[in-house]
Amino acid sequence: CFIEVDGGINDKTAMLVKQAGADILVSGSYLFKNENMKQAIKGFFKNMEEPYSHEVDFLRREIDSLPTK
């Protein structure tokens, strides 16, 4: 069983939601409304690197493969 949170997830709320027990975070508006999605994604994970480094390392490889606007 996984806990998914969809809505209101951004660079400021992601860590709070993970600490509260969420397994999956869905961040649509925060990413798609940002002028530079790649930078937004990197900012999203900046505060989560230490406690969730194993998850962030996997996602960083995916992010680095994204094209830059």
Side-chain angles (χ1 to χ4, degrees):
C1 181
F2 293 100
I3 298 171
E4 177 180 315
V5 178
D6 185 346
I9 303 297
N10 58 44
D11 59 335
K12 294 170 182 55
T13 61
M15 184 64 159
L16 297 171
V17 173
K18 282 294 285 182
Q19 288 174 336
D23 300 299
I24 301 167
L25 309 180
V26 179
S27 180
S29 297
Y30 169 72
L31 299 176
F32 285 100
K33 290 182 179 179
N34 199 299
E35 289 184 27
N36 186 332
M37 185 182 289
K38 192 171 184 176
Q39 280 305 114
I41 294 170
K42 286 182 177 184
F44 186 86
F45 291 112
K46 186 176 180 180
N47 295 330
M48 296 176 59
E49 286 183 2
E50 186 60 36
Y52 300 103
S53 60
H54 61 286
E55 295 173 33
V56 173
D57 286 343
F58 168 76
L59 294 166
R60 182 177 289 118
R61 289 190 299 272
E62 298 299 315
I63 294 163
D64 288 341
S65 70
L66 293 173
T68 304
K69 281 187 181 179

